[in-house]
Amino acid sequence: MTDCLFCKIRDGQIPAEIVYQDEDVLAFNDVNPQAPVHVLIIPKKHIATINDLATDNAATIGKLYLAAKHIAAEHKIEDDGYRLVVNCNAMAGQTVYHIHLHLLGGRRMNWPPG
Ligand code: 5GP
Ligand code: ZN
């Protein structure tokens, strides 16, 4: 998609602090972190929301979680714990319409989330 912020980050048109990438996945620090560790993990393929997932996206979505595990270990937060969040559509607070997994850690999380 041409007018998608995260596609522009993927294509290097907007700078970001990239912390991980492979063939299918890109991860970068959130510009407005809500925790000491706040990484956004996206599929390189543009998919707007979880509602737009198709069966053949399943492996890619699985890879987002594998990347999260890897990044959590790099930050040494895997034993203390961390939170993975996907917001879908407006009521959940989605503001960028390119699927992204939030990896949040380095502080105690509250439940239920606000
Ligand atoms: P959402 O609200 O859609 O679940 O999350 C979007 C996230 O993208 C927010 O946490 C926001 O801080 C982050 N964000 C928005 N614009 C940029 C940007 O230009 N660069 C980076 N690295 N993160 C961004
Ligand atoms: Zn996109």
Side-chain angles (χ1 to χ4, degrees):
M1 245 194 113
T2 51
D3 203 27
C4 169
L5 179 64
F6 289 172
C7 282
K8 287 178 179 165
I9 287 177
R10 175 201 63 204
D11 295 341
Q13 294 166 12
I14 292 176
E17 293 173 13
I18 293 175
V19 298
Y20 174 86
Q21 68 174 314
D22 62 33
E23 194 182 346
D24 300 308
V25 173
L26 179 69
F28 48 90
N29 288 326
D30 196 295
V31 77
N32 182 24
Q34 301 301 311
V37 177
H38 188 172
V39 177
L40 302 173
I41 306 166
I42 71 167
K44 286 189 171 173
K45 177 184 164 65
H46 180 88
I47 307 168
T49 81
I50 293 290
N51 291 337
D52 300 302
L53 281 180
T55 308
D56 65 357
N57 302 135
T60 302
I61 296 304
K63 287 183 178 179
L64 300 184
Y65 285 83
L66 290 171
K69 170 187 150 177
H70 173 79
I71 296 162
E74 277 194 342
H75 284 281
K76 302 192 187 311
I77 57 171
E78 74 271 47
D79 292 336
D80 283 346
Y82 54 94
R83 183 167 290 171
L84 300 173
V85 177
V86 179
N87 297 323
C88 181
N89 275 341
M91 285 275 273
Q94 185 172 8
T95 58
V96 179
Y97 283 79
H98 180 136
I99 287 176
H100 48 283
L101 190 59
H102 293 258
L103 164 57
L104 295 145
R107 66 164 170 84
R108 182 168 293 280
M109 299 290 153
N110 299 315
W111 191 262

